mmCIF file of all heavy atoms in Angstrom:
data_model
loop_
_atom_site.group_PDB
_atom_site.id
_atom_site.type_symbol
_atom_site.label_atom_id
_atom_site.label_comp_id
_atom_site.label_asym_id
_atom_site.label_seq_id
_atom_site.Cartn_x
_atom_site.Cartn_y
_atom_site.Cartn_z
ATOM 1 N N LYS A 61 78.799 76.102 -168.010
ATOM 2 C CA LYS A 61 78.796 77.550 -168.192
ATOM 3 C C LYS A 61 78.960 77.846 -169.656
ATOM 4 O O LYS A 61 79.797 77.224 -170.326
ATOM 5 C CB LYS A 61 79.985 78.142 -167.406
ATOM 6 C CG LYS A 61 79.942 79.638 -167.288
ATOM 7 C CD LYS A 61 79.018 80.102 -166.195
ATOM 8 C CE LYS A 61 78.676 81.578 -166.297
ATOM 9 N NZ LYS A 61 77.611 81.846 -167.301
ATOM 10 N N GLY A 62 78.187 78.802 -170.152
ATOM 11 C CA GLY A 62 78.340 79.171 -171.549
ATOM 12 C C GLY A 62 77.141 79.927 -172.061
ATOM 13 O O GLY A 62 76.047 79.847 -171.494
ATOM 14 N N GLY A 63 77.355 80.658 -173.119
ATOM 15 C CA GLY A 63 76.333 81.575 -173.627
ATOM 16 C C GLY A 63 75.187 80.911 -174.366
ATOM 17 O O GLY A 63 75.159 79.697 -174.585
ATOM 18 N N ILE A 64 74.232 81.778 -174.731
ATOM 19 C CA ILE A 64 73.112 81.380 -175.588
ATOM 20 C C ILE A 64 73.154 82.318 -176.786
ATOM 21 O O ILE A 64 73.195 83.537 -176.609
ATOM 22 C CB ILE A 64 71.756 81.580 -174.876
ATOM 23 C CG1 ILE A 64 71.692 80.773 -173.576
ATOM 24 C CG2 ILE A 64 70.605 81.200 -175.800
ATOM 25 C CD1 ILE A 64 70.464 81.126 -172.716
ATOM 26 N N MET A 82 83.853 75.852 -174.387
ATOM 27 C CA MET A 82 83.634 76.424 -173.044
ATOM 28 C C MET A 82 84.297 75.569 -171.964
ATOM 29 O O MET A 82 84.838 76.090 -170.999
ATOM 30 C CB MET A 82 82.141 76.588 -172.747
ATOM 31 C CG MET A 82 81.440 77.719 -173.483
ATOM 32 S SD MET A 82 82.225 79.342 -173.376
ATOM 33 C CE MET A 82 82.278 79.630 -171.621
ATOM 34 N N LYS A 85 87.895 76.494 -172.200
ATOM 35 C CA LYS A 85 88.093 77.893 -171.803
ATOM 36 C C LYS A 85 88.043 78.039 -170.282
ATOM 37 O O LYS A 85 88.903 78.686 -169.677
ATOM 38 C CB LYS A 85 86.997 78.741 -172.454
ATOM 39 C CG LYS A 85 87.224 80.224 -172.378
ATOM 40 C CD LYS A 85 86.014 80.995 -172.911
ATOM 41 C CE LYS A 85 85.739 80.697 -174.379
ATOM 42 N NZ LYS A 85 84.640 81.520 -174.915
ATOM 43 N N LYS A 97 76.615 75.296 -173.879
ATOM 44 C CA LYS A 97 76.266 76.340 -174.847
ATOM 45 C C LYS A 97 74.842 76.130 -175.299
ATOM 46 O O LYS A 97 74.354 74.994 -175.347
ATOM 47 C CB LYS A 97 77.187 76.259 -176.071
ATOM 48 C CG LYS A 97 77.256 77.547 -176.857
ATOM 49 C CD LYS A 97 78.238 78.482 -176.205
ATOM 50 C CE LYS A 97 78.414 79.760 -176.961
ATOM 51 N NZ LYS A 97 79.577 80.506 -176.452
ATOM 52 N N VAL A 133 74.656 77.382 -166.034
ATOM 53 C CA VAL A 133 74.480 78.828 -165.866
ATOM 54 C C VAL A 133 74.741 79.544 -167.199
ATOM 55 O O VAL A 133 75.898 79.787 -167.548
ATOM 56 C CB VAL A 133 75.450 79.357 -164.776
ATOM 57 C CG1 VAL A 133 75.217 80.839 -164.498
ATOM 58 C CG2 VAL A 133 75.343 78.531 -163.492
ATOM 59 N N PRO A 134 73.698 79.860 -167.963
ATOM 60 C CA PRO A 134 73.913 80.537 -169.250
ATOM 61 C C PRO A 134 74.396 81.987 -169.108
ATOM 62 O O PRO A 134 74.443 82.537 -168.012
ATOM 63 C CB PRO A 134 72.535 80.506 -169.912
ATOM 64 C CG PRO A 134 71.767 79.454 -169.206
ATOM 65 C CD PRO A 134 72.302 79.466 -167.790
ATOM 66 N N ALA A 135 74.735 82.564 -170.243
ATOM 67 C CA ALA A 135 75.239 83.944 -170.314
ATOM 68 C C ALA A 135 74.933 84.455 -171.724
ATOM 69 O O ALA A 135 74.511 83.689 -172.578
ATOM 70 C CB ALA A 135 76.743 83.956 -170.060
ATOM 71 N N PRO A 136 75.176 85.736 -171.971
ATOM 72 C CA PRO A 136 74.957 86.236 -173.338
ATOM 73 C C PRO A 136 75.994 85.691 -174.323
ATOM 74 O O PRO A 136 77.093 85.312 -173.929
ATOM 75 C CB PRO A 136 75.129 87.761 -173.205
ATOM 76 C CG PRO A 136 75.110 88.069 -171.755
ATOM 77 C CD PRO A 136 75.572 86.827 -171.054
ATOM 78 N N ASP A 137 75.624 85.671 -175.580
ATOM 79 C CA ASP A 137 76.540 85.320 -176.661
ATOM 80 C C ASP A 137 76.055 86.113 -177.881
ATOM 81 O O ASP A 137 75.391 87.136 -177.706
ATOM 82 C CB ASP A 137 76.528 83.790 -176.882
ATOM 83 C CG ASP A 137 77.769 83.301 -177.625
ATOM 84 O OD1 ASP A 137 78.822 83.173 -177.006
ATOM 85 O OD2 ASP A 137 77.678 83.067 -178.844
ATOM 86 N N VAL A 138 76.346 85.629 -179.082
ATOM 87 C CA VAL A 138 75.974 86.373 -180.281
ATOM 88 C C VAL A 138 74.473 86.710 -180.278
ATOM 89 O O VAL A 138 73.624 85.816 -180.134
ATOM 90 C CB VAL A 138 76.336 85.548 -181.547
ATOM 91 C CG1 VAL A 138 75.869 86.252 -182.810
ATOM 92 C CG2 VAL A 138 77.837 85.275 -181.587
ATOM 93 N N THR A 165 74.435 84.664 -165.906
ATOM 94 C CA THR A 165 75.337 85.806 -165.704
ATOM 95 C C THR A 165 75.213 86.740 -166.907
ATOM 96 O O THR A 165 74.568 86.387 -167.900
ATOM 97 C CB THR A 165 76.792 85.352 -165.524
ATOM 98 O OG1 THR A 165 77.179 84.622 -166.693
ATOM 99 C CG2 THR A 165 76.951 84.473 -164.292
ATOM 100 N N ARG A 177 81.232 93.370 -166.064
ATOM 101 C CA ARG A 177 80.961 92.181 -166.879
ATOM 102 C C ARG A 177 80.837 92.529 -168.350
ATOM 103 O O ARG A 177 81.330 91.817 -169.215
ATOM 104 C CB ARG A 177 79.691 91.450 -166.389
ATOM 105 C CG ARG A 177 79.237 90.284 -167.285
ATOM 106 C CD ARG A 177 80.284 89.191 -167.353
ATOM 107 N NE ARG A 177 79.965 88.104 -168.269
ATOM 108 C CZ ARG A 177 80.258 88.085 -169.558
ATOM 109 N NH1 ARG A 177 80.875 89.100 -170.134
ATOM 110 N NH2 ARG A 177 79.950 87.030 -170.298
ATOM 111 N N THR A 181 85.029 90.799 -171.682
ATOM 112 C CA THR A 181 85.653 90.053 -172.783
ATOM 113 C C THR A 181 86.613 90.971 -173.535
ATOM 114 O O THR A 181 87.750 90.592 -173.847
ATOM 115 C CB THR A 181 84.590 89.447 -173.728
ATOM 116 O OG1 THR A 181 83.565 88.858 -172.927
ATOM 117 C CG2 THR A 181 85.185 88.397 -174.633
ATOM 118 N N ASN A 308 85.007 83.069 -180.869
ATOM 119 C CA ASN A 308 85.254 81.638 -180.707
ATOM 120 C C ASN A 308 85.485 81.033 -182.089
ATOM 121 O O ASN A 308 84.664 81.198 -182.986
ATOM 122 C CB ASN A 308 84.047 80.965 -180.041
ATOM 123 C CG ASN A 308 83.873 81.399 -178.596
ATOM 124 O OD1 ASN A 308 84.821 81.423 -177.821
ATOM 125 N ND2 ASN A 308 82.649 81.770 -178.231
ATOM 126 N N ASN A 333 89.593 85.217 -175.295
ATOM 127 C CA ASN A 333 88.256 85.763 -174.994
ATOM 128 C C ASN A 333 87.699 85.236 -173.672
ATOM 129 O O ASN A 333 86.504 85.367 -173.399
ATOM 130 C CB ASN A 333 87.291 85.559 -176.177
ATOM 131 C CG ASN A 333 86.872 84.108 -176.381
ATOM 132 O OD1 ASN A 333 86.721 83.343 -175.429
ATOM 133 N ND2 ASN A 333 86.653 83.738 -177.627
ATOM 134 N N ALA A 334 88.571 84.695 -172.823
ATOM 135 C CA ALA A 334 88.100 84.113 -171.563
ATOM 136 C C ALA A 334 87.793 85.151 -170.478
ATOM 137 O O ALA A 334 87.322 84.793 -169.399
ATOM 138 C CB ALA A 334 89.131 83.113 -171.041
ATOM 139 N N GLY A 336 85.397 87.199 -170.455
ATOM 140 C CA GLY A 336 83.943 87.214 -170.246
ATOM 141 C C GLY A 336 83.516 86.177 -169.229
ATOM 142 O O GLY A 336 82.841 86.481 -168.239
ATOM 143 N N VAL A 337 83.942 84.950 -169.450
ATOM 144 C CA VAL A 337 83.507 83.895 -168.526
ATOM 145 C C VAL A 337 84.179 84.064 -167.155
ATOM 146 O O VAL A 337 83.613 83.677 -166.131
ATOM 147 C CB VAL A 337 83.712 82.482 -169.127
ATOM 148 C CG1 VAL A 337 85.159 82.029 -169.066
ATOM 149 C CG2 VAL A 337 82.817 81.476 -168.416
ATOM 150 N N THR A 338 85.326 84.690 -167.126
ATOM 151 C CA THR A 338 85.989 84.924 -165.835
ATOM 152 C C THR A 338 85.147 85.874 -164.977
ATOM 153 O O THR A 338 84.896 85.600 -163.788
ATOM 154 C CB THR A 338 87.411 85.495 -166.057
ATOM 155 O OG1 THR A 338 88.141 84.566 -166.846
ATOM 156 C CG2 THR A 338 88.134 85.734 -164.746
ATOM 157 N N SER A 340 82.016 86.386 -165.474
ATOM 158 C CA SER A 340 80.777 85.635 -165.198
ATOM 159 C C SER A 340 80.940 84.840 -163.904
ATOM 160 O O SER A 340 80.018 84.730 -163.098
ATOM 161 C CB SER A 340 80.467 84.663 -166.335
ATOM 162 O OG SER A 340 79.786 85.308 -167.371
HETATM 163 N N1 LIG B 10 79.468 83.654 -174.423
HETATM 164 C C1 LIG B 10 80.710 83.964 -173.784
HETATM 165 C C2 LIG B 10 81.792 83.019 -174.263
HETATM 166 O O1 LIG B 10 81.724 82.447 -175.327
HETATM 167 C C3 LIG B 10 80.587 84.037 -172.278
HETATM 168 C C4 LIG B 10 80.172 82.792 -171.595
HETATM 169 C C5 LIG B 10 79.867 82.967 -170.113
HETATM 170 O O2 LIG B 10 80.164 84.020 -169.558
HETATM 171 O O3 LIG B 10 79.333 82.023 -169.542
HETATM 172 O O4 LIG B 10 82.805 82.882 -173.625
#
Side-chain angles (χ1 to χ4, degrees):
K61 191 81 195 80
I64 301 170
M82 287 309 302
K85 192 186 298 184
K97 201 82 177 192
V133 184
D137 200 79
V138 176
T165 59
R177 173 62 185 88
T181 315
N308 292 313
N333 71 34
V337 78
T338 302
S340 276

